[in-house]
Every structure is written in C-alpha cells, then in structure tokens.
Amino acid sequence: MRALRAPVALTVLATTAALAMGACSAQTTGGGAGSPIVTSFYPIQFATQQVVGGTAEVTVLTRPGAEPHDLELAPQDIGGMTKARLVVYADGFQPAVDEAVGLVDGAKVLDVAGAARLVPASPSEGESADEHDDHAGHSHGADDPHFWLDPSRYAAVAEAISARLSKDDPSKASTYARNTAAFVEKLSQLDDEMRVGLAQCRTTQLVTSHGAFGYLAARYGLHQQGVTGISPEAEPSATALKAVSDLVSSAGVTTIYQETLVEPQFARTVAGSTGAKVATLDPIEGITSATQGSDYFEVMRSNLVTLREGQGCS
Ligand SMILES: [Zn+2]
C-alpha cells in the first residue's frame, strides 16, 4: 500500500498540474489585491486571518476534519493557488502542497517553515532516526512541522506573514502591524498560562500517539515520547510498543494521550498493557464540531486542562 502511494499521487498531481497550467495560461488575470490569500491548513489560516483582520479573504486547502498530513489537492485547489494573491504554507508538512507550490509564481508564495525555526523531530522510543525518516507514504522530511503548538514559534510565524503582506501592500501595513501585535499579545498570555500550569507536575514524561507535541513539550519542560512517531499512520514495531510500555511503568505515567483525527488503537494498546488511562489531546490541525473549542486559543486551553490532569500538575 505504502509503496504504491507515491507514484499514484505523482500521476494525479502531474495530471492536475497540466490542467492547472492550461487554466492558468488561458486566464492570466488574478493574483491582485482583490484575490484571496490561500493557506495550506488551519493554523496558518487562523494566523493569516488574525493578521488581515477581515481586510482580505483567506481560504484554506485542508478541509476541516481532514487529516492534513495526507492532503490530496483537486484541480480547482491548484487553480486557486495559481490565482491567489499569496499562498502561505509550511514546506515539509504536506507533500501535495509542496509540489503544487512549484506551479505558482514564486513571487506569490510564502513558506513560513523558516520563521517557525523547525527542528528535527526526536525519534520515538525503540526507533532509529533512519526508520523515522522513511515512515509512511507521506513524509514530514526530517523536521517536526507542529510549530503552532508552541505559542512563541506561532507568534514568529504570524510576524512573518504580517511582514510579507505589508511588503506586498504597504498601504495596509499599519493595520497588519496592529492586528499582529494583538495576536502576539494573546499568544504571549497563553504562553504564560501554559508555563505556570505545567510548572509543577508529578511526571514530565508525555506519552502521545503520533508525537505532535514535541515543541510544546520542549517549551514547558516535558519530554515527549510518541508511540507511533510523527506520522500519524505509521505502525509502531513491537519493540517500540514494548519500550514505551516500559517507560510508562518506570516513569509512573498514568495517562497516555491519543489525538483527535487519529485512530487511537496504539495508545490503547500501551494503556492496556500498563494500566494507564487514555485521554485526548488535540494537535489543532483543524477545527470541527467535535473540537473542544472554536478556535486555536480555546483548544490550546482545553489541551492545558487535559495535560494538567494527565500529568498530575498542581
Ligand atoms: Zn500532525
């Protein structure tokens, strides 16, 4: 299954690319100030909306509730990207977007991965870094993409979006600067709440299913151990499951976290063999009616409540 995926995806992309290019050459308008800003997935959409504050339309390629790592783009998505005022994405997270960006005028693309200061994900228990790289049909590359779960990295991304939009349209620079300052201030308040809330905990070992919380853990003094590694669909080896189970037992971990949008089977396997409970953390890759909160801030605070309970924080 895995071996088949990449060639199939490439064929589809090549076809859609040809369609998009045809559409593009037939219709050379678009991309002006009235065109939408196209964003790749929810955290980038939300940050961009906060920066523009209603002065521009912001669309998103990843539908709410869809697992973003595996995104497939329809021809109209790619057509929309080629006509956008600006495409904002993070390179290395969604292979379909990375490839489609190659069809867009480079002057109308902003990659926020640099601003997010991404670092390589630490391998899961019982797994080497090499195995990690070649997980699953899609790849994150070597870097952990989940920057928005650390409010300080997220703030840096918002500032990069603001700087770019201001350069493209200096007449709105003061509006963007004001909106961005307000957003960054809210992120700073959240950061303070997280730091205080996670300062005194019974255990600092954070056992998660797909390992999206590395930046959050690093920021607040926790140590993440992902059961499946960073790609949500990767299947952990028996060795990896055993290593995580041993850690859970030896470190006095009482709660294992599964994630919304991801099949919780592996978290349950480890919980079942150790007696730990399973709780749900949201990696905030999309907002749906099932999400514990209506936006990034509400879901982060919901995650904080879950973490304080699960880690035994006072
Ligand atoms: Zn993820």
Side-chain angles (χ1 to χ4, degrees), residues 6 19 21 46 51 61 68 92 106 108 138 168 176 213-214 218 246 283 297 310:
L19 286 171
M21 285 176 138
F46 184 65
V51 170
L61 294 168
K108 292 182 175 168
H138 56 279
D168 289 353
Y176 297 150
F213 295 85
D246 289 350
F297 289 106

Side-chain angles (χ1 to χ4, degrees), residues 176-214:
Y176 297 150
R178 195 167 54 241
N179 292 344
T180 305
F183 183 51
V184 168
E185 173 57 29
K186 283 164 84 177
L187 287 170
S188 169
Q189 283 170 14
L190 172 68
D191 185 44
D192 289 345
E193 286 173 41
M194 302 281 295
R195 185 178 300 103
V196 170
L198 298 172
Q200 304 286 337
C201 303
R202 203 181 55 246
T203 175
T204 56
Q205 295 294 334
L206 178 70
V207 180
T208 63
S209 54
H210 109 248
F213 295 85

Side-chain angles (χ1 to χ4, degrees), residues 67 69 93 140 146 210 212 230 232 283 285:
E67 214 297 313
H69 298 246
F93 179 45
H140 280 126
H146 302 93
H210 109 248
I230 200 151
E285 294 176 345

Side-chain angles (χ1 to χ4, degrees), residues 39-48 88-90 112 147 154 161:
T39 61
S40 52
F41 73 112
Y42 175 73
I44 292 178
Q45 176 195 24
F46 184 65
T48 305
V88 190
Y89 81 115
V112 300
F147 61 84
Y154 198 27
I161 294 169

